Amino acid sequence: MPLSVRTRVEIYLPDQSSTVYKDLLRTFSDEFTSAFGGCTVIRGLDGNYLSQFGQVIYDRINIVYTDTPVNFHDNINSIALYADRLRKAAFEALDEETVLVAVWPVYHSI
């Protein structure tokens, strides 16, 4: 069974009740659906991270992700630029110390 290499893009966002957080999650969901045909949103996960001041921060997070048709290995520079634009958009919309955008190759059976 042949496999096709693609690119998974994930955005980890704080799970806040504020309208701006909900709107940004919807914006990313709409972007992924329009650009790549769909996405998955996982809500209400527990997360933590070490702040720039050395404190452990516990918070709830949502993850929105999509698998793109883009070959990860052949397009790493374009993928990096896209991930950086997503991260910058999150920072512009939110008052957060960090927002994680993760990308990696995934393999789909075809």
Side-chain angles (χ1 to χ4, degrees):
M1 180 167 33
L3 296 176
S4 171
V5 65
R6 300 185 181 210
T7 300
R8 177 162 292 176
V9 180
E10 293 185 351
I11 304 172
Y12 293 68
L13 295 170
D15 183 9
Q16 301 287 331
S17 60
S18 164
T19 302
V20 68
Y21 286 84
K22 291 179 180 182
D23 288 349
L24 185 60
L25 183 65
R26 189 175 324 111
T27 297
F28 284 138
S29 176
D30 291 348
E31 157 76 10
F32 287 170
T33 300
S34 295
F36 307 115
C39 69
T40 299
V41 178
I42 304 171
R43 299 174 191 274
L45 299 170
D46 290 326
N48 57 53
Y49 66 95
L50 191 60
S51 78
Q52 62 186 357
F53 303 108
Q55 294 179 304
V56 175
I57 307 296
Y58 298 95
D59 62 2
R60 303 279 287 171
I61 59 169
N62 296 316
I63 301 172
V64 58
Y65 73 91
T66 189
D67 289 354
T68 77
V70 177
N71 182 302
F72 181 85
H73 304 291
D74 294 341
N75 297 285
I76 193 68
N77 291 332
S78 297
I79 294 164
L81 290 172
Y82 182 68
D84 194 47
R85 284 198 316 264
L86 294 171
R87 193 178 62 78
K88 285 179 182 177
F91 274 118
E92 288 175 7
L94 306 176
D95 183 28
E96 289 293 328
E97 183 177 325
T98 187
V99 172
L100 175 63
V101 176
V103 297
W104 67 81
V106 294
Y107 296 85
H108 289 213
S109 64
I110 52 174

